[in-house]
Amino acid sequence: MRSLALALLLALCIASALSLPSRPKKGTGEDRIHDAHPSGEEHYEGNGHAHNSDYDHDAFLGSDEAKKFKTLTPEESRERLRKLVPRVDADKDGFVSEDELKNWVRFTQHRYIMEDVERQWSSHDTDKDGMLTWPEYRNSTFGPLTDEQLEKPENAQYKKLMGRDKSRWHRGDTNGDNALSKEEYAAFLHPEEYEHMKGLVVDETLEDIDKDKDGSISLQEYIGECSRFGLNLQSTCP
């Protein structure tokens, strides 16, 4: 029973980390979105949760390359894949093993994350020194809100988001120099992909799901969270 509960919690942590939480608008935080999906597609879709092959294409090829494949003829697609397979076949034995396929998807995922970092970096690193300080990030994300303004009731959501981001910031700043490199910012932006950040992902997930703040997750809280991802567990739970 304990192992089942841990498995369910891990599934929720991953799902929450890959979700698209809403944020306040530009200058107050809403324009920044944590998204670790290698694809804009849903992996399973519809009431029957049918498998969506487009998700797999994005995970294997990368979303930009997968879009190019959609414009190719079947013959052109096969030729492109034929040229790609040697890059996946790390030991060059002429076959793609399960481990080689997993490693390739991880490589594609990391490439997507770093591309995402590059897209966001320039808007945050305002002094262009190649490092990101907390004041730079705070001002570009939440705007010039003073501590006094954050204490106002109408800014309670911004205060909560800023507090969460600051906790991520300190966890991501592995060398303690009060500034994030691009790799450290990648861990901040996509914490579910970095081992030293995974405890924080669990903490954030528990905070989000535990609606009554009793320090534990009830079955109804768990089912309610799953419904956010299109899973109807009410029909399968006794």
Side-chain angles (χ1 to χ4, degrees), residues 10-226:
L10 179 59
L12 275 176
C13 289
I14 294 171
S16 294
L18 298 185
S19 66
L20 301 179
S22 60
R23 293 249 165 197
K25 291 194 186 298
K26 179 68 177 175
T28 55
E30 187 165 273
D31 54 315
R32 185 179 63 76
I33 292 175
H34 299 309
D35 174 20
H37 272 305
S39 172
E41 302 287 342
E42 294 294 332
H43 200 178
Y44 296 92
E45 57 187 3
N47 293 332
H49 306 305
H51 180 253
N52 180 10
S53 60
D54 284 342
Y55 181 97
D56 295 336
H57 296 164
D58 287 358
F60 181 72
L61 298 167
S63 58
D64 291 340
E65 192 66 20
K67 289 175 184 176
K68 295 177 184 177
F69 264 72
K70 289 182 179 180
T71 67
L72 303 177
T73 65
E75 292 75 17
E76 290 172 329
S77 295
R78 283 193 292 271
E79 179 61 20
R80 288 280 191 96
L81 287 172
R82 187 184 66 80
K83 293 178 179 179
L84 179 61
V85 165
R87 297 174 61 190
V88 184
D89 178 22
D91 61 9
K92 307 304 178 187
D93 66 350
F95 298 92
V96 175
S97 68
E98 181 178 344
D99 285 341
E100 287 172 331
L101 184 58
K102 287 179 179 178
N103 289 336
W104 178 259
V105 171
R106 290 190 191 103
F107 166 77
T108 303
Q109 172 78 342
H110 186 70
R111 182 177 62 189
Y112 163 80
I113 287 173
M114 297 313 296
E115 288 172 353
D116 189 30
V117 168
E118 290 292 342
R119 281 192 294 268
Q120 300 197 38
W121 184 262
S122 60
S123 65
H124 295 312
D125 181 22
T126 52
D127 63 6
K128 310 303 179 187
D129 68 345
M131 298 296 290
L132 194 57
T133 64
W134 172 251
E136 281 180 313
Y137 174 79
R138 171 176 165 160
N139 290 335
S140 63
T141 302
F142 297 96
L145 287 172
T146 65
D147 291 339
E148 291 76 14
Q149 289 174 317
L150 283 173
E151 295 303 322
K152 294 181 179 180
E154 61 267 27
N155 290 327
Q157 180 69 1
Y158 303 153
K159 182 179 179 180
K160 177 183 176 181
L161 291 173
M162 192 181 296
R164 174 173 286 195
D165 277 2
K166 196 164 188 179
S167 293
R168 281 194 182 194
W169 183 274
H170 289 305
R171 187 71 66 90
D173 182 18
T174 54
N175 62 4
D177 65 352
N178 295 316
L180 300 186
S181 65
K182 285 186 178 180
E183 186 64 31
E184 288 174 327
Y185 180 61
F188 165 81
L189 197 61
H190 299 285
E192 70 288 340
E193 294 297 315
Y194 292 81
E195 193 64 36
H196 68 285
M197 301 289 284
K198 288 183 178 179
L200 187 76
V201 174
V202 172
D203 291 340
E204 290 181 358
T205 303
L206 286 170
E207 180 183 356
D208 289 340
I209 302 173
D210 181 20
K211 303 301 183 184
D212 59 12
K213 305 306 175 188
D214 67 348
S216 62
I217 298 174
S218 68
L219 178 61
Q220 289 306 311
E221 286 171 332
Y222 172 75
I223 292 174
E225 182 70 8
C226 286

